[in-house]
Amino acid sequence: MTPFPPVCLDCVHLHDAGDVLTCDAFSPDRIPDLVILQGDPHTGPIPGEHGIRFEPKRADPAKYARDP
């Protein structure tokens, strides 16, 4: 399996506190494995997200669209 960077790294809601990545959506809980490890783009609802979803830092949202 080829490692890939999590979509979180391109999100405006991510906070990098050195060894720990946190997110406005899941704060104070950790970012779910579904997102951080499995690459879910978090453009749809995920339990515990507090109504906050992925918003790209860059203006290319098509890059993060789910495959049909």
Side-chain angles (χ1 to χ4, degrees):
M1 174 183 239
T2 303
F4 58 92
V7 69
C8 302
L9 297 179
D10 288 329
C11 184
V12 299
H13 299 290
L14 181 71
H15 304 284
D16 186 349
D19 294 341
V20 178
L21 296 177
T22 61
C23 173
D24 296 331
F26 301 104
S27 185
D29 299 324
R30 66 187 210 40
I31 299 169
D33 288 348
L34 175 69
V35 177
I36 198 81
L37 297 178
Q38 298 176 21
D40 186 303
H42 191 208
T43 54
I46 294 177
E49 72 180 16
H50 301 102
I52 299 170
R53 301 220 179 118
F54 173 78
E55 291 182 54
K57 292 178 186 176
R58 301 179 200 136
D60 187 9
K63 175 180 175 182
Y64 307 103
R66 292 178 188 243
D67 292 330

